């Protein structure tokens, strides 16, 4: 019989990730930071491809991976900012390489934001169309009797009871 004492709950809890810690060696720390940029860039490239193909399942599967990569990137960036004086003395080639990676990453991020904006606009248009169709159907299909019992066209506004936000 399994009990809580016999289960290794630390291994089961995937949410307790260790934050990224950069090396004390400035050159190695810079290299690790570039690896984090590459990791996050790859996730964004996969996400961009999924958005381009309207592949919702792949897009949703990538979110946990993206959050993990973004947290590591953020932790590394914060460490670099606190160590900026010591990082002034790193190899110039590494500085240039980091700058190039950052520029490439910025371009991919821009593409990602545009793709997400297109997706948001598409969902908004779909929502507007569904709501308009529901209003039209309610307007034409509601029964409205006059005081004399005759069937009239429904001229008043009808509450659908639906949330209009997605």
């Amino acid at each position: 019989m399994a009990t809580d004492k016999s289960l290794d709950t630390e291994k089961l809890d995937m949410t307790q990730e260790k934050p990224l810690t950069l090396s004390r060696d400035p050159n190695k720390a810079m290299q690790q930071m570039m690896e984090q940029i590459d990791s996050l860039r790859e996730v964004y490239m996969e996400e961009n491809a999924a958005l381009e193909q309207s592949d919702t399942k792949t897009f949703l599967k990538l979110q946990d991976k993206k959050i993990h990569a973004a947290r590591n990137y953020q932790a590394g960036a914060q460490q670099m900012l606190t160590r900026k004086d010591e990082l002034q003395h790193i190899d110039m080639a590494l500085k240039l390489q980091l700058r190039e990676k950052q520029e490439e990453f910025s371009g991919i991020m821009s593409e990602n934001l545009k793709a997400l904006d297109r997706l948001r606009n598409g969902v908004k248009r779909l929502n507007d169309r569904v709501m308009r169709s529901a209003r039209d159907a309610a307007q034409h299909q509601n029964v409205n009797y006059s005081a004399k019992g005759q069937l009239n066209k429904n001229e008043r506004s009808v509450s659908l009871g639906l949330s209009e936000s997605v």
Side-chain angles (χ1 to χ4, degrees), residues 38-52:
D38 286 341
S39 175
L40 191 55
R41 179 180 54 86
E42 287 174 19
V43 173
Y44 276 113
M45 288 174 64
E46 289 178 51
E47 186 175 88
N48 287 347
L51 288 169
E52 189 176 303

Side-chain angles (χ1 to χ4, degrees), residues 141-155:
Q141 294 176 0
N142 268 0
V143 176
N144 181 13
Y145 294 100
S146 70
K148 296 181 181 179
Q150 295 177 339
L151 188 60
N152 293 328
K153 182 179 178 195
N154 191 354
E155 298 293 332

Side-chain angles (χ1 to χ4, degrees), residues 17 40 43-44 46-48 50-51 55-71 112 116 119:
E17 297 174 6
L40 191 55
V43 173
Y44 276 113
E46 289 178 51
E47 186 175 88
N48 287 347
L51 288 169
D55 187 353
T56 308
K57 288 181 183 180
T58 302
F59 175 79
L60 293 174
K61 286 179 183 177
L62 287 170
Q63 297 313 299
D64 288 337
K65 188 176 176 182
K66 182 169 77 169
I67 289 168
H68 176 71
R71 284 183 180 156
N112 185 262
L116 287 172
L119 177 67

